[in-house]
Amino acid sequence: MNKKEVFEQVTDMEEKIGQLYQQLGDLKNYLAELLEENHRLAVENHHLRNRLESSTEQEEQKETGKSSTEVPVGEGYDNLARLYEEGFHICNVHFGSPRQDEDCLFCLLFLNKSK
Ligand SMILES: [Zn+2]
């Protein structure tokens, strides 16, 4: 192997390492996105579980008719309206998924219906 060949090989390796480094960076960014998404979904899930729990409790209280813990009329509606304001769907089409700052016709219909 002459000096020129060695030099060419080193240059070739350098290029490949550069590409690998680029790929590593891309994967790292992708991983960061996944972690972020995962975190966002975990928070959302937690949030929705709390909502579900509190509305289930309210339903149970309504059914057993305990006057001491009576739920004011319209609180279920307020909860849903708040959930909608916080950016989640409350319609049965997309219930619980984020709205991404757009009004949803189904949600609005649902809100008007249950008012
Ligand atoms: Zn909706």
Side-chain angles (χ1 to χ4, degrees), residues 40-93:
R40 197 180 59 72
L41 288 174
V43 169
E44 185 184 320
N45 192 23
H46 178 75
H47 183 79
L48 288 172
R49 267 181 204 284
N50 284 346
R51 290 283 171 179
L52 186 63
E53 251 169 50
S54 63
S55 68
T56 307
E57 271 166 27
Q58 280 170 16
E59 280 304 313
E60 279 166 7
Q61 282 167 1
K62 257 183 229 162
E63 276 165 24
T64 54
K66 281 176 193 161
S67 55
S68 57
T69 53
E70 206 174 326
V71 179
V73 179
E75 189 165 307
Y77 171 80
D78 287 346
N79 277 343
L80 285 174
R82 209 178 312 134
L83 194 58
Y84 182 76
E85 285 307 313
E86 283 170 17
F88 293 98
H89 282 282
I90 55 164
C91 57
N92 48 16
V93 186

Side-chain angles (χ1 to χ4, degrees), residues 89-91 94 104 106-107:
H89 282 282
I90 55 164
C91 57
H94 309 289
C104 168
F106 299 114
C107 285

